[in-house]
């Protein structure tokens, strides 16, 4: 098993946070990444994020189970569990 240090963990966590944030803002991102086609930022539905919203702390995503799509999101002192097999697969692919 590969040794994980703080720097490596932070790099990987930052990449995962970026992917999760982008997927939340742009609903077409997972489809575009899976097909390798061009990314078109024309959402067909509202993203649910108000214009001008800013993060005051990082969000860390942990893919707990790739098969079921179980993803734990950590921010501040909170933890939220989300199930999305497609997003879990995209986060996994982003690490390769």
């Amino acid at each position: 098993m590969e040794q994980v240090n703080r720097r490596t963990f932070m790099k990987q966590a930052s990449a995962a946070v970026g992917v999760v944030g982008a997927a939340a803002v742009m609903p077409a991102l997972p489809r575009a990444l899976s097909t390798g086609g061009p990314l078109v930022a024309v959402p067909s539905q509202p993203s649910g994020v108000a214009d001008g919203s800013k993060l005051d702390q990082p969000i860390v995503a942990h893919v707990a189970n790739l098969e079921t799509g179980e993803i734990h999101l950590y921010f501040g002192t909170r933890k939220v569990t989300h199930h999305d097999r497609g997003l879990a697969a995209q986060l996994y692919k982003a690490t390769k």
Side-chain angles (χ1 to χ4, degrees):
M1 188 162 152
E2 184 179 326
Q3 191 75 351
V4 177
N5 60 30
R6 189 180 315 187
R7 181 176 291 161
T8 302
F9 174 78
M10 291 306 290
K11 281 183 185 177
Q12 292 174 349
S14 296
V17 168
V19 171
V20 169
V25 174
M26 297 183 298
L29 182 64
R31 183 179 54 230
L33 290 176
S34 66
T35 62
L39 180 61
V40 178
V42 181
S44 59
Q45 53 184 312
S47 67
V49 178
D51 290 338
S53 295
K54 296 181 181 177
L55 288 175
D56 58 350
Q57 55 193 343
I59 298 173
V60 176
H62 169 238
V63 178
N65 189 323
L66 191 57
E67 291 181 5
T68 64
E70 182 178 350
I71 303 168
H72 301 292
L73 300 172
Y74 299 93
F75 50 100
T77 58
R78 295 182 57 202
K79 172 188 167 188
V80 175
T81 301
H82 179 73
H83 290 84
D84 186 331
R85 291 176 65 190
L87 180 57
Q90 292 300 320
L91 291 171
Y92 174 74
K93 288 178 187 177
T95 65
K96 300 299 173 189

